[in-house]
């Protein structure tokens, strides 16, 4: 796998060396390198859709003539998500679930408008505690707000560079008294999947982990 640059800084030299027949980028993202990329190969910029990977998949399928393949992928994912939701519902009922991320300077919970939140709250139909914003990607929360959320289950992303914040959390009586903590229902997750993952493969992997964690005895 060759690194071709980031979403905001494509590397035209690396892309040229890859000798593509078609270049698909995003807008905003590759706007400033569009002219350069167009000289390498036919270039199409797709408008970024806010965590709507289904729409993006269909757009890609249309471009490469794979509409039926995309339709089948979406049907398969829908069946899997519905089956997964049934398994989880049977295991935890209406217990609440939160995706919590520990950063160096703050704690964040994620709503429905995020890759992980979409999987948890839409595809699995899990219940979030009052206070988790369903109409937003994320919300910074204080330690004092944790007892108000008091989730029954926590999918936890503790970043490597947030050691101090992690220690602060672990030593707090407020944290120790949460239902999820007292009942040992904390599930570590990987940033590359739960923050950066977006699409049928990543969403399917998040479904698998959520079902595994929430249905275990």
């Amino acid at each position: 796998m060759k690194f071709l640059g980031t979403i905001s800084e494509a590397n035209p030299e690396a892309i040229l060396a890859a000798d593509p027949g078609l270049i698909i980028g995003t807008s905003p993202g590759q706007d400033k390198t569009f002219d350069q990329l167009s000289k390498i190969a036919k270039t199409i910029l797709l408008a970024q859709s806010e965590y709507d990977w289904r729409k993006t998949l269909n757009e890609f399928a249309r471009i490469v003539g794979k509409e039926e393949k995309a339709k089948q992928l979406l049907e398969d994912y829908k069946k899997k998500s519905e089956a997964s939701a049934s398994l989880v519902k049977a295991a935890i009922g209406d217990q609440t679930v939160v995706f919590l991320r520990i950063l160096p300077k703050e704690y964040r919970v994620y709503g429905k408008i995020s890759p992980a939140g979409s999987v948890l709250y839409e595809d699995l139909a899990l219940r979030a505690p009052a206070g988790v914003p369903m109409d937003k990607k994320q919300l910074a929360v204080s330690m004092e707000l944790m007892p108000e959320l008091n989730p029954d289950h926590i999918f936890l992303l503790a970043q490597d560079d947030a050691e101090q914040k992690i220690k602060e959390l672990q030593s707090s009586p407020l944290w120790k008294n949460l239902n999820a903590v007292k009942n040992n229902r904390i599930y570590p997750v990987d940033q590359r999947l739960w923050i950066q993952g977006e699409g049928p493969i990543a969403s399917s992997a998040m479904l698998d982990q959520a079902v595994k964690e929430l249905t275990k005895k």
Side-chain angles (χ1 to χ4, degrees):
M1 182 179 294
K2 296 180 180 180
F3 181 67
L4 303 180
T6 66
I7 192 170
S8 60
E9 294 185 14
N11 186 328
E13 291 77 15
I15 294 172
L16 176 62
D19 192 26
L22 173 67
I23 300 171
I24 301 176
T26 58
S27 176
Q30 279 80 50
D31 304 79
K32 60 185 179 182
T33 56
F34 177 78
D35 289 341
Q36 290 176 279
L37 297 177
S38 297
K39 293 175 182 177
I40 298 172
K42 180 180 179 180
T43 300
I44 299 173
L45 298 186
L46 301 179
Q48 287 195 50
S49 52
E50 191 74 8
Y51 305 110
D52 187 355
W53 63 262
R54 292 166 178 81
K55 179 179 178 181
T56 303
L57 177 66
N58 282 325
E59 289 179 336
F60 269 88
R62 175 181 54 79
I63 292 169
V64 299
K66 298 287 185 179
E67 290 93 339
E68 287 301 313
K69 178 65 174 178
K71 181 179 178 181
Q72 187 61 56
L73 280 171
L74 291 173
E75 289 177 355
D76 291 345
Y77 182 80
K78 182 179 180 182
K79 290 177 182 177
K80 179 174 181 175
S81 63
E82 289 174 346
S84 299
S86 295
L87 289 171
V88 171
K89 178 70 173 178
I92 70 170
D94 290 327
Q95 293 175 3
T96 58
V97 177
V98 154
F99 174 37
L100 175 67
R101 184 183 182 188
I102 307 176
L103 291 97
K105 296 184 178 181
E106 66 182 20
Y107 308 111
R108 288 181 189 170
V109 293
Y110 284 75
K112 195 180 291 184
I113 308 178
S114 66
S118 175
V119 169
L120 294 175
Y121 303 127
E122 287 191 347
D123 301 339
L124 289 174
L126 295 171
R127 191 164 73 92
V132 174
M134 289 295 98
D135 60 341
K136 295 180 180 178
K137 176 187 175 184
Q138 64 198 32
L139 177 69
V141 296
S142 64
M143 181 75 72
E144 290 69 29
L145 186 62
M146 296 285 187
E148 294 182 31
L149 297 175
N150 197 20
D152 298 302
H153 302 265
I154 298 175
F155 287 88
L156 182 66
L157 171 54
Q159 295 195 179
D160 293 338
D161 57 351
E163 291 184 4
Q164 186 57 42
K165 209 67 177 171
I166 294 169
K167 291 178 181 178
E168 175 187 313
L169 190 72
Q170 293 174 336
S171 63
S172 171
L174 297 177
W175 171 255
K176 294 176 182 178
N177 283 323
L178 297 182
N179 287 337
V181 179
K182 290 190 294 185
N183 292 303
N184 195 30
R185 293 170 176 166
I186 308 293
Y187 317 122
V189 301
D190 188 283
Q191 176 173 327
R192 290 168 296 179
L193 178 61
W194 286 73
I195 290 294
Q196 300 168 345
E198 184 181 357
I201 296 175
S203 294
S204 182
M206 282 187 267
L207 281 180
D208 290 340
Q209 183 175 2
V211 169
K212 177 183 177 182
E213 300 290 10
L214 295 173
T215 62
K216 64 186 180 184
K217 302 296 184 181

